């Protein structure tokens, strides 16, 4: 840092304390972490840092010249300067005095692309809760954990099946969401970013929401209403919708010629302020969704909550997916090997699909991969919904599904619509489990299926967050151990056929499979995130 520096303290915080970047600089200040230490040594040892101007700025330019990226944060109205004389110092000092640094810091703590409910009903006061936490030494991870505990208590209240429990559950769910917003704002306010924090924030969101679904289903059962099928349907819909988001973003993250008439229309609509909020609200992002769930839980019944949730989320999923399909068909984008590998990892293909892919590699073209996956999904889900429980023909359909799963991934996934393959596979697996559990028509089958899909969904979310964090997908031994999507589908259909005369044992088999998947996935996931050397990240993407 230059001794003549004049500016806001928070400008220095942004340059010197943000753990997400190997090198970061503002005028008059430079910081490097271990990843950029070698570049810094080279810059100091060479003449690259020679010349005029502040030494820190020359050093930052020299580090950048070695090929190491130097993050230069957007300061906005904040000041960072190295005055050359007394007049410049006076002007810089006046500029510092004219800006309320704390107000800027609070504003920057709020995510820029939140939904309407979060922006106008939560963030105006949750940012102050974040500041209160920062001043008392609380960490974002502690707030995230408090949000999870609050949501689990809310789920427990909903499970009572009493009106007071539903009212308390609705209130606590909103409190949990306030804390959920606070943890990210605290991370941005105090620059406490971490790999563990990003993972906890993302996975706990799903754990909170799906636990609340289970609480509502338990509460409804106490009142004599079985809504486990609706709870499972809501979870399937939400997970598939998220996989659509993740797959599309990964496929187009570094695509070239990434333009289309649909994207141009979206940009034009963004210039009309009110359309931005309308389009954010109609997809039912997490703030609007949780607010709706909380209000309906307090004043209606679990069945009505799930009906509203399924209708709202289905509309949002259709709206976003249709727009992305149009963009994909109208843009002339060239996708990279990295994007193709990310999509291949998101398919969650196990040993059976791998074997098919190896046999077909070199003889399969990229054209038609998504159509093969769609055919397999329609056949598998349709047969599971149409055929009686335990019908041996379902095993034959599952074998065909395995073959289509291998054919779909036999070539690099660089087609215009290949980002649809992972969500298609998710839909095939989840719907098959739901249909078989519902048709078994025995106590405990749907709750067991809920547990199995929750365990598998956790694995799929974990895969996404690892890829987003730049560490790559989980080790392939893990995918092989839990069978891959096609292996689990085949196993589930075989279990149904074997247990057709003892359907009461089907929930036990599903529960055993759920426990096995959960143990393997959780142990490896926790091991990875606790010991990972991944860079610190914080999700600033679109609200889910």
């Amino acid at each position: 840092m230059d001794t003549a520096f004049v500016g806001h303290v928070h400008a220095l915080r942004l340059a010197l304390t943000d753990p997400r970047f190997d090198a970061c600089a503002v005028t008059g200040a430079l910081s490097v972490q271990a990843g950029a230490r070698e570049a810094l040594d080279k810059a100091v040892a060479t003449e690259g840092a020679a010349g005029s101007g502040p030494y820190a700025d020359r050093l930052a330019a020299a580090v950048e010249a070695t090929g190491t990226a130097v993050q230069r944060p957007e300061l906005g109205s904040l000041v960072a300067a190295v005055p050359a004389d007394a007049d410049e110092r006076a002007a810089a000092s006046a500029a510092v005095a004219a800006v309320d640094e704390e107000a800027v810091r609070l504003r920057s703590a709020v995510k820029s692309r939140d939904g309407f409910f979060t922006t106008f009903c939560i963030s105006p006061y949750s940012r102050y809760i974040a500041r209160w936490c920062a001043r008392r030494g609380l960490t974002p991870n502690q707030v995230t954990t408090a949000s999870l505990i609050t949501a689990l208590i809310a789920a427990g209240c909903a499970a009572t099946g009493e009106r007071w429990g539903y009212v308390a559950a609705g209130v606590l769910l909103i409190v949990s969401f306030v804390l959920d917003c606070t943890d990210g704002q605290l991370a941005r306010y105090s620059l406490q970013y971490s790999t563990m924090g990003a993972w906890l924030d993302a996975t706990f969101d799903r754990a909170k929401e799906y636990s609340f679904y289970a609480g509502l289903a338990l509460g409804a059962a106490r009142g004599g209403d079985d809504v486990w099928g609706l709870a499972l349907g809501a979870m399937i819909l939400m997970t598939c919708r998220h996989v659509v988001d993740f797959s599309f973003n990964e496929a187009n993250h570094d695509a070239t010629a990434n333009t289309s008439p649909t994207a141009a229309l979206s940009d034009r609509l963004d210039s009309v302020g009110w359309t931005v909020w309308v389009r954010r609200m109609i997809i039912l992002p997490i703030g609007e969704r949780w607010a709706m769930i909380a209000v309906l839980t307090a004043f209606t019944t679990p069945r009505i909550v799930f009906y509203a949730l399924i209708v709202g989320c289905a509309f949002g999923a259709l709206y976003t997916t249709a727009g992305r399909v149009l963009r994909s068909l109208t843009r002339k984008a060239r996708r990279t090997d990295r994007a193709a590998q990310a999509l291949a990892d998101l398919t969650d293909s196990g040993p059976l699909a791998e074997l098919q892919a190896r046999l077909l590699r070199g003889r399969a073209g990229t054209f038609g991969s998504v159509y093969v996956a769609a055919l397999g999904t329609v056949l598998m889900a349709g047969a599971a919904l149409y055929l009686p429980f335990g019908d041996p023909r379902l095993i034959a359909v599952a074998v065909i599904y395995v073959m289509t799963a291998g054919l779909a991934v036999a070539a690099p996934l660089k087609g215009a619509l290949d980002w649809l393959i992972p969500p298609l596979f998710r839909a095939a697996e989840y719907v098959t489990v739901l249909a078989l559990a519902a048709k078994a028509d025995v106590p405990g089958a749907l709750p067991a299926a809920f547990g199995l899909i929750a365990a598998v969904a956790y694995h799929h979310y974990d895969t996404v967050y690892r890829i987003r964090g730049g560490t790559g997908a989980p080790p392939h031994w893990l995918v092989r151990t839990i069978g891959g999507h096609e292996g689990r589908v085949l196993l589930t259909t075989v279990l149904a056929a074997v247990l057709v005369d003892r359907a009461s044992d089907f929930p036990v088999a599903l529960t055993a499979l759920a426990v096995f998947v959960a143990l393997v996935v959780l142990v490896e996931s926790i091991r990875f995130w606790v010991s990972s050397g991944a860079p610190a990240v914080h999700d600033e993407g679109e609200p889910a």
Side-chain angles (χ1 to χ4, degrees):
M1 174 180 165
D2 198 297
T3 56
F5 176 86
V6 174
H8 290 101
V9 174
H10 193 55
L12 287 178
R13 287 194 193 97
L14 293 172
L16 303 180
T17 65
D18 194 328
R20 295 174 296 173
F21 308 106
D22 286 337
C24 195
V26 294
T27 300
L30 168 70
S31 71
V32 297
Q33 298 190 56
R37 188 63 56 82
E38 183 178 352
L40 177 64
D41 292 340
K42 288 181 180 178
V44 172
T46 64
E47 296 301 319
S52 60
Y55 180 69
D57 295 0
R58 289 184 276 124
L59 205 56
V63 168
E64 206 162 30
T66 67
T68 299
V70 177
Q71 171 69 12
R72 289 180 169 82
E74 291 288 339
L75 297 182
S77 58
L78 295 177
V79 177
V82 179
D85 53 41
D87 290 339
E88 288 187 7
R89 177 171 292 276
S93 298
V96 170
V99 175
D100 185 344
E101 177 180 11
E102 184 61 20
V104 173
R105 192 178 178 190
L106 283 170
R107 284 198 304 271
S108 63
V110 178
K111 189 187 293 185
S112 60
R113 296 192 66 250
D114 265 329
F116 182 90
F117 178 77
T118 305
T119 298
F120 294 103
C121 300
I122 303 296
S123 292
Y125 58 87
S126 62
R127 68 184 75 181
Y128 296 101
I129 299 175
R131 182 172 66 181
W132 183 90
C133 293
R135 291 177 175 177
R136 281 153 185 81
L138 297 176
T139 67
N141 290 354
Q142 291 171 331
V143 178
T144 301
T145 303
S147 176
L148 173 66
I149 293 172
T150 304
L152 293 179
I153 295 172
C157 291
T160 63
E162 303 288 341
R163 178 51 53 193
W164 70 265
Y166 290 141
V167 173
V171 172
L172 288 172
L173 192 63
I174 293 296
V175 173
S176 175
F177 183 65
V178 172
L179 293 174
D180 183 54
C181 295
T182 300
D183 63 3
Q185 291 167 357
L186 174 58
R188 287 181 286 273
Y189 180 85
S190 57
L191 300 178
Q192 296 183 71
Y193 301 107
S194 69
T195 302
M196 175 68 77
W199 172 66
L200 289 178
D201 185 50
T203 54
F204 280 10
D205 278 351
R206 305 286 78 80
K208 289 180 287 189
E209 188 166 1
Y210 297 162
S211 294
F212 197 81
Y213 293 176
L216 285 173
L218 288 169
R222 287 179 177 270
D225 189 13
D226 186 357
V227 297
W228 275 106
L230 292 175
L232 190 49
M235 183 169 68
I236 290 172
L237 181 59
M238 188 58 56
T239 304
C240 289
R241 171 184 164 181
H242 287 152
V243 175
V244 167
D245 295 341
F246 299 144
S247 296
F248 179 80
N249 290 336
E250 287 302 322
N252 294 282
H253 176 70
D254 48 8
T256 58
N258 201 15
T259 59
S260 72
T262 309
L265 174 61
S266 179
D267 291 339
R268 286 197 296 271
L269 287 174
D270 284 344
S271 65
V272 183
W274 63 270
T275 67
V276 175
W277 294 116
V278 169
R279 288 188 295 140
R280 289 186 189 179
M281 291 173 66
I282 62 175
I283 64 172
L284 210 62
I286 188 169
E288 279 75 1
R289 190 167 69 249
W290 282 30
M292 182 188 75
I293 293 171
V295 172
L296 292 179
T297 296
F299 295 105
T300 64
T301 65
R303 181 172 289 273
I304 293 175
V305 173
F306 286 123
Y307 281 152
L309 186 62
I310 289 172
V311 170
C313 290
F315 176 81
L318 288 173
Y319 172 80
T320 55
T321 303
R324 287 165 176 170
V325 168
L326 286 174
R327 289 190 183 195
S328 299
L329 292 175
T330 55
R331 65 167 43 130
K332 303 298 181 182
R334 297 177 60 187
R335 292 180 173 84
T336 63
D337 292 338
R338 188 215 64 83
Q341 183 58 52
L343 290 180
D345 292 332
L346 289 173
T347 63
D348 193 31
S349 300
L352 297 177
E354 281 185 326
L355 177 61
Q356 293 288 324
R358 287 197 191 98
L359 294 174
L360 295 168
R361 193 156 291 152
R363 290 178 288 172
T366 58
F367 179 80
S369 292
V370 67
Y371 303 111
V372 172
L375 175 63
T377 295
V378 170
L379 288 175
M380 190 67 251
L385 291 168
Y386 175 75
L387 295 176
F389 176 78
D391 192 317
R393 289 176 292 177
L394 193 60
I395 298 178
V397 176
V399 171
I400 295 174
Y401 175 73
V402 170
M403 296 173 65
T404 60
L407 180 59
V409 297
L413 302 182
K414 295 185 177 182
L417 295 177
D418 282 355
W419 55 269
L420 284 169
I421 294 176
L424 284 170
F425 287 158
R426 297 299 79 76
E429 179 180 2
Y430 297 164
V431 170
T432 297
V433 175
L434 169 59
L436 291 178
K439 291 193 172 188
D441 197 25
V442 293
L446 283 169
F450 188 96
L452 174 57
I453 292 179
V456 174
Y458 175 86
H459 163 60
H460 292 147
Y461 281 114
D462 187 52
T463 301
V464 167
Y465 300 137
R466 293 200 199 196
I467 294 173
R468 276 188 166 185
T471 58
H476 212 64
W477 68 259
L478 174 66
V479 179
R480 293 191 181 103
T481 300
I482 60 176
H485 69 95
E486 79 288 353
R488 292 188 296 270
V489 166
L490 182 60
L491 176 59
T492 305
T493 59
V494 169
L495 288 174
V498 170
L499 299 174
V500 64
D501 296 325
R502 294 180 292 129
S504 59
D505 291 338
F506 189 59
V508 178
L510 289 182
T511 301
L513 181 56
V515 171
F516 173 75
V517 172
L519 284 176
V520 173
V521 169
L522 280 172
V523 168
E524 160 57 21
S525 178
I526 293 172
R527 181 210 63 77
F528 170 80
W529 289 103
V530 170
S531 62
S532 173
V537 295
H538 193 80
D539 183 16
E540 296 290 346
E542 67 279 357

